Amino acid sequence: KDVGDLQDQLASGVEGMKTECLESVEKNATVAPTIAFAGNFKLSGADNPGIVHKLTSVLARNQLTIANMKTMHEEAPFGGTELFTVEGRSVAYEPLASNFEWTKIQEELKELGDSLNCDIEFDNVTGSTFRD
């Protein structure tokens, strides 16, 4: 099919949805999505069931996807409890929702941390490399 046929099919698919098709000069061109927002997160606190699910649910509700994530356990210096840390990077691809505000996500994660008795950091690192 040519680009015109594809545009016609897409235009009739969903009311109110804007679509755009571009024809590549290269036959095997690869198109990579553009990252519109990147945020580093870190949760530290006492381990408890569902802690990762609760953290990632906040990110998912805000249309963020996990680019990378790692978890660590260590014994607390006092009290014999186990400390848990999860850190990683979440991203959102273009186009961002018109109501996207990373500071609201940051506040939601802070409130989650308070309810779980742990610390959650969330920093905007848009434009930095994954090695930062």
Side-chain angles (χ1 to χ4, degrees), residues 2 8 37 39 58 68 77-78 84:
D2 70 351
D8 291 342
F37 172 83
V58 170
N68 61 52
F78 304 103
F84 178 73

Side-chain angles (χ1 to χ4, degrees), residues 3 36 84 89-90 95 101 123:
V3 173
F84 178 73
R89 180 167 292 188
S90 59
E101 290 185 46
D123 300 308

Side-chain angles (χ1 to χ4, degrees), residues 62-73:
N62 288 282
Q63 278 65 60
L64 294 171
T65 187
I66 306 296
N68 61 52
M69 183 171 71
K70 67 179 177 179
T71 62
M72 297 155 282
H73 287 92

Side-chain angles (χ1 to χ4, degrees), residues 34 38 43 46 48 54-55 59 79 82 95 98 108-109 117:
T34 302
L43 178 150
N48 63 69
K54 291 173 184 171
L55 170 70
L59 299 174
E82 193 169 84
S98 60
E108 191 174 347
L109 288 170
N117 196 26

Side-chain angles (χ1 to χ4, degrees), residues 12 41 43 50 55 70 83-84 99 102 104:
S12 64
F41 59 88
L43 178 150
L55 170 70
K70 67 179 177 179
L83 294 178
F84 178 73
N99 63 349
W102 80 271
K104 287 184 179 179

Side-chain angles (χ1 to χ4, degrees), residues 77-96:
F78 304 103
T81 61
E82 193 169 84
L83 294 178
F84 178 73
T85 302
V86 58
E87 57 186 40
R89 180 167 292 188
S90 59
V91 297
Y93 296 101
E94 289 185 353
L96 282 177

Side-chain angles (χ1 to χ4, degrees), residues 100-115:
F100 182 88
E101 290 185 46
W102 80 271
T103 54
K104 287 184 179 179
I105 302 167
Q106 184 180 48
E107 183 59 32
E108 191 174 347
L109 288 170
K110 182 186 179 314
E111 290 172 8
L112 174 64
D114 291 345
S115 74

